Amino acid sequence: MSTDYTYDEQGQFFPYFVLVITGLVTLPTTYSLLRPSKAPENTAPRIQSDFEPEHADLIDGQKKKQKRRQRKIKRMVTTLAGWLLMAYMVYLMVITARTIPKIWDPYEVLGISRSADERAIKSHYRRMSVTHHPDKRRPDPAKNETIDTINDEWVDITKAFKTLTDEDIRNNYLQYGHPDGKQSFSIGIALPQFIITEGNGKYVLLLYGAVLGVLLPYLVGRWWYGTQRVTREKVLVSTAGNLFREYKEDIDAGGVIAALSAGDEFRDVLKGNKAENGLNTVEKRILAEGQLSLKASGMAEKDRDKLQDLDGGVRRKVLALLWAYLGRVDLDDRTLEDEKFEVAPTALALCESFLATTLAYGNTKPLVSSLHACQHLIQALPPRSSPLLQLPHISPAAVLAVEGGNSKKHSSLQQFMKLSDTIRRKQLIDSGILSETQYKIAIRTASQIPFFAVERAFFKVPGERHVIPNSLVSLVIKGRIIPPGTQNIPAVNEKDLLDKDPPETTKASQEVEVKKIQPPLAHAPYLARDHSPRWYLFLADSKQGKIVVPPPQTPFTTFEKPMFDEHGKPTFNMQTLKMQFGAPPQVGQYNFVMHLVCGSYVGLDTKLEVTLVVEDPAKAEEIDEDEDISEPEEDSLAGQMQALKGNANGGQAGKKGKRPQPTEEDDDSGSDTEGDEAETESETDTDTDTDEE
């Protein structure tokens, strides 16, 4: 028995092979292209506002440019080519005639019924020998018959006759499917035969060499070096090194802006002569006298000195464009305006990377300054500027009308919205600064900004009543989303301030995914990106200026309960934020400053003093045992005697015996935020001068 390998000469099978291989690549890439993005920027609702900033067409153009970059053109081309190839293979499968191998059948060869007995078979064979024997049959040229074909046909008839009449031959046929026993078989290869046709071998080897020796190493190398060029924060490694060198312990938000200009990503934005074109114009505009500050861009003297100390080139122009963006300075040149709106989103991405650098050092001020710099980049506001400029149509003149020319501290959005409508109209409309329509747009936008109002902050260990050394502690923040200017705020339900431990999870409950609610996208009309609000929570030591518990790697971007109803009104649902960390190893009282920083809006941060009490495990166990001693049941004998004893003593014993059921605040005493006193001390950090603190 021999084995024969044959190629697909007629093209019946290789289309199936190519179709399967191509589908393994094309179908996943198609799914990745068509799958809707789950990024918060693509799924979150938006704040309703009709405001369009100046040069809105340039900002929209930058957004479209970024979307074109994210379209993954190469993947789209690969997917399209895959579908075209698959369609061509299906076409070949349809038009190619299929050849079905014929199974040798002795009854069909003899032309008799399968129910014929041996006598009928022999009789039929004798009749066929008269007409089909080579000695009695002549070749017919009309039927393309030759002596060889007649002999082969007679041999086949003889085999069929012996198969049905000879016992041994019949057994071979039944066992192996052929009267001669085992036969050679052929293995088909689903590739066209021209691949091994003489003369084509060198081209096949050349193709193999190009794919395996050039294309595959190139793709792997490009992927590998591409991953090594960027950090986990998706910035260039060289940029991360530059930001590391720009770090200073006393850096403020303006210093962070200057540090971000060292990013190598800007070299792709300002290629060639772009680094020098228009630089003098930009610097002249941003260093002009401002209305609310010394400079039109809002730069401080040290920020100006930093800019002028830089040599001409990409970094100096980037820094100048960033200050022009923050100060909303009109450059009177569409090319420069377009560059201004293009560098801002890149700087924001680098700012989020700079946060990782500040966390590595563990100092509080650089971290807060970095977070504030991100806020200002999103809102296009210079550091130390009024938070009111975040609202549509609010100009420096409007800020002066609201705050007054001699104000040493800026008004927050909350303070502005707490003013009566009559006063606001008198300051903005009656003075001719805003029209009625512009005023309504500004107020409507302010009433949709999500401000997280902290109602309570405390520490707890899940499943335990006390915090002991080295335990896993949770900082629990209870608060509500209350937009500035909200009226008729309902009182807090004390039960909502409790944090109940979740029941033991089962496999079924783990599979149930809790739907997260996203806040509206940040109202940032000058930023050429959609940005989802996020909150950063961390604990700091105010005396040493150090970060005690860093913010989680993933900031808070969603909540468990709806913040607004279908009409856009706040629901006042109690929201919960949690951050876990290891308790100190020593027993004692630890005072921290809790920072809850809103990364998208200026002036909506919360700073609160909290106290963590770590108790001795033995003492905590004794307290738990005392609390576990229950009063006797009233319907029992001991309960009746206790009641009689209380009556005999004038009810004093009864009053003394009863104690209030432990509440969440009782359980967490010593681990709370120092009770009501601490809660009254909680302050909302709306002072934009905190960068200098």
Side-chain angles (χ1 to χ4, degrees):
M1 181 184 67
S2 61
T3 304
D4 183 23
Y5 293 92
T6 60
Y7 284 81
D8 189 15
E9 299 181 11
Q10 299 179 349
Q12 296 184 86
F13 305 110
F14 90 87
Y16 293 90
F17 172 78
V18 176
L19 179 66
V20 172
I21 298 300
T22 307
L24 292 177
V25 178
T26 305
L27 294 179
T29 55
T30 303
Y31 174 74
S32 65
L33 287 175
L34 300 180
R35 180 182 56 183
S37 175
K38 295 183 179 180
E41 290 78 7
N42 299 322
T43 57
R46 296 178 181 272
I47 288 179
Q48 301 299 320
S49 175
D50 298 329
F51 174 70
E52 286 192 4
E54 189 178 4
H55 304 297
D57 57 331
L58 296 179
I59 299 174
D60 292 338
Q62 287 296 330
K63 289 183 178 180
K64 293 177 181 179
K65 184 178 180 180
Q66 175 64 17
K67 290 181 179 180
R68 287 195 297 267
R69 292 175 181 173
Q70 296 176 346
R71 284 177 182 172
K72 304 175 182 177
I73 301 299
K74 294 181 179 179
R75 184 173 299 182
M76 294 176 63
V77 172
T78 302
T79 304
L80 179 60
W83 281 108
L84 291 176
L85 182 59
M86 292 172 64
Y88 180 65
M89 292 299 106
V90 172
Y91 171 74
L92 291 180
M93 293 161 55
V94 172
I95 66 172
T96 302
R98 296 182 178 86
T99 58
I100 302 175
K102 188 176 182 180
I103 300 177
W104 190 82
D105 186 0
Y107 293 97
E108 184 178 351
V109 172
L110 294 177
I112 59 175
S113 172
R114 293 183 175 275
S115 61
D117 55 10
E118 185 175 348
R119 180 177 179 182
I121 293 172
K122 290 181 178 180
S123 175
H124 183 73
Y125 174 70
R126 285 194 294 268
R127 289 196 298 270
M128 291 186 68
S129 63
V130 176
T131 57
H132 289 74
H133 195 278
D135 295 340
K136 301 179 180 180
R137 183 177 176 184
R138 295 181 179 275
D140 187 357
K143 298 180 181 180
N144 293 326
E145 291 182 347
T146 62
I147 296 296
D148 294 334
T149 59
I150 294 176
N151 288 333
D152 293 338
E153 185 179 351
W154 178 249
V155 170
D156 205 28
I157 293 174
T158 305
K159 279 186 179 181
F161 172 72
K162 292 183 177 181
T163 299
L164 300 177
T165 56
D166 188 278
E167 189 67 25
D168 295 334
I169 298 177
R170 184 180 184 85
N171 290 334
N172 286 337
Y173 170 71
L174 295 176
Q175 186 174 359
Y176 302 109
H178 199 276
D180 295 336
K182 291 183 178 181
Q183 301 293 305
S184 62
F185 63 93
S186 175
I187 298 178
I189 301 177
L191 292 175
Q193 193 176 17
F194 71 83
I195 290 181
I196 60 168
T197 302
E198 185 177 357
N200 292 341
K202 56 184 179 181
Y203 300 110
V204 175
L205 291 177
L206 182 62
L207 178 62
Y208 285 162
V211 173
L212 300 179
V214 179
L215 181 60
L216 184 60
Y218 168 76
L219 295 177
V220 174
R222 183 178 179 182
W223 167 80
W224 171 254
Y225 289 110
T227 58
Q228 297 302 308
R229 289 180 66 246
V230 297
T231 63
R232 185 175 60 181
E233 290 79 22
K234 304 301 181 183
V235 302
L236 296 175
V237 174
S238 57
T239 297
N242 295 339
L243 297 178
F244 184 82
R245 287 186 287 270
E246 293 290 331
Y247 173 85
K248 294 180 178 60
E249 290 189 2
D250 60 343
I251 194 171
D252 59 5
V256 174
I257 299 299
L260 301 180
S261 64
D264 289 338
E265 283 83 353
F266 295 111
R267 299 185 183 275
D268 294 333
V269 179
L270 302 178
K271 295 180 180 179
N273 297 329
K274 290 183 177 181
E276 299 293 342
N277 293 341
L279 178 58
N280 293 332
T281 302
V282 178
E283 292 188 1
K284 182 179 179 180
R285 296 267 180 171
I286 64 176
L287 295 177
E289 184 178 355
Q291 188 172 357
L292 293 178
S293 58
L294 296 177
K295 306 299 178 185
S297 60
M299 301 174 69
E301 292 296 331
K302 59 181 178 179
D303 300 325
R304 182 200 62 184
D305 296 340
K306 178 66 175 179
L307 173 65
Q308 294 179 344
D309 290 342
L310 295 175
D311 297 331
V314 174
R315 182 174 182 183
R316 181 160 180 164
K317 185 172 182 181
V318 167
L319 184 55
L321 289 173
L322 286 177
W323 281 110
Y325 167 79
L326 294 173
R328 304 178 185 176
V329 178
D330 188 4
L331 301 179
D332 197 22
D333 185 293
R334 288 187 63 84
T335 301
L336 294 177
E337 293 285 353
D338 194 50
E339 292 174 352
K340 178 181 73 174
F341 293 120
E342 187 173 4
V343 298
T346 304
L348 178 60
L350 298 184
C351 187
E352 294 175 351
S353 174
F354 191 68
L355 293 176
T357 302
T358 61
L359 288 174
Y361 283 96
N363 295 314
T364 305
K365 184 175 181 179
L367 175 60
V368 175
S369 298
S370 301
L371 292 172
H372 287 173
C374 292
Q375 296 173 352
H376 293 296
L377 285 170
I378 294 171
Q379 294 299 328
L381 296 180
R384 300 168 294 274
S385 61
S386 173
L388 300 184
L389 293 172
Q390 299 174 102
L391 300 180
H393 302 296
I394 298 296
S395 61
V399 173
L400 290 175
V402 174
E403 297 180 349
N406 299 324
S407 177
K408 296 182 179 180
K409 188 176 181 180
H410 292 302
S411 298
S412 66
L413 292 176
Q414 296 92 322
Q415 293 170 340
F416 172 69
M417 294 298 291
K418 283 182 180 178
L419 298 175
S420 65
D421 187 66
T422 303
I423 295 177
R424 291 198 301 260
R425 287 178 175 273
K426 182 178 180 180
Q427 293 173 338
L428 299 176
I429 298 180
D430 295 347
S431 60
I433 298 176
L434 297 183
S435 65
E436 180 70 22
T437 302
Q438 292 174 337
Y439 174 79
K440 290 182 177 180
I441 292 176
I443 299 301
R444 182 186 180 190
T445 302
S447 63
Q448 299 178 75
I449 294 178
F451 169 60
F452 190 92
V454 176
E455 303 292 348
R456 187 188 178 201
F458 58 94
F459 299 96
K460 66 171 294 186
V461 177
E464 302 293 338
R465 294 186 177 183
H466 306 280
V467 178
I468 62 175
N470 297 319
S471 59
L472 186 61
V473 184
S474 293
L475 171 60
V476 182
I477 308 297
K478 293 287 186 176
R480 299 182 293 180
I481 298 296
I482 304 178
T486 303
Q487 299 179 353
N488 301 323
I489 302 175
V492 176
N493 188 345
E494 295 298 328
K495 293 183 179 180
D496 293 337
L497 297 177
L498 306 180
D499 185 65
K500 298 181 180 180
D501 293 328
E504 295 184 1
T505 57
T506 61
K507 184 176 181 181
S509 62
Q510 290 178 352
E511 294 177 354
V512 178
E513 183 178 357
V514 179
K515 184 179 180 180
K516 297 294 185 179
I517 308 299
Q518 294 177 301
L521 293 178
H523 180 262
Y526 296 93
L527 182 67
R529 296 288 187 277
D530 290 331
H531 188 79
S532 177
R534 55 202 66 181
W535 284 262
Y536 297 86
L537 176 64
F538 60 94
L539 296 178
D541 187 340
S542 59
K543 295 182 179 180
Q544 299 181 4
K546 293 289 185 178
I547 301 172
V548 180
V549 180
Q553 291 185 354
T554 303
F556 299 99
T557 57
T558 58
F559 298 95
E560 295 181 354
K561 300 177 182 178
M563 294 156 282
F564 301 93
D565 58 18
E566 60 274 9
H567 303 293
K569 303 295 182 181
T571 59
F572 304 106
N573 287 326
M574 189 65 65
Q575 310 289 352
T576 304
L577 304 180
K578 290 186 180 181
M579 179 177 65
Q580 289 187 329
F581 61 96
Q586 302 295 332
V587 174
Q589 201 173 54
Y590 299 86
N591 297 319
F592 303 125
V593 176
M594 182 206 76
H595 292 263
L596 181 62
V597 180
C598 177
S600 303
Y601 295 98
V602 177
L604 300 185
D605 304 339
T606 301
K607 189 163 58 175
L608 179 70
E609 292 184 357
V610 293
T611 300
L612 171 63
V613 176
V614 181
E615 301 189 49
D616 182 70
K619 181 181 177 181
E621 185 176 354
E622 292 178 0
I623 296 176
D624 291 341
E625 290 179 355
D626 293 340
E627 292 180 350
D628 289 339
I629 300 176
S630 60
E631 295 292 331
E633 299 292 340
E634 293 184 358
D635 57 351
S636 64
L637 179 61
Q640 295 175 4
M641 294 179 64
Q642 179 73 12
L644 292 174
K645 183 179 178 181
N647 293 332
N649 294 332
Q652 295 180 359
K655 292 182 181 180
K656 183 178 179 181
K658 292 185 179 180
R659 65 179 174 84
Q661 294 295 327
T663 63
E664 182 72 22
E665 294 187 78
D666 296 332
D667 294 345
D668 294 316
S669 60
S671 299
D672 205 339
T673 59
E674 299 182 344
D676 296 334
E677 179 181 358
E679 292 183 7
T680 57
E681 294 177 355
S682 65
E683 58 178 277
T684 302
D685 183 14
T686 58
D687 187 359
T688 56
D689 292 331
T690 53
D691 295 333
E692 305 295 334
E693 292 179 357

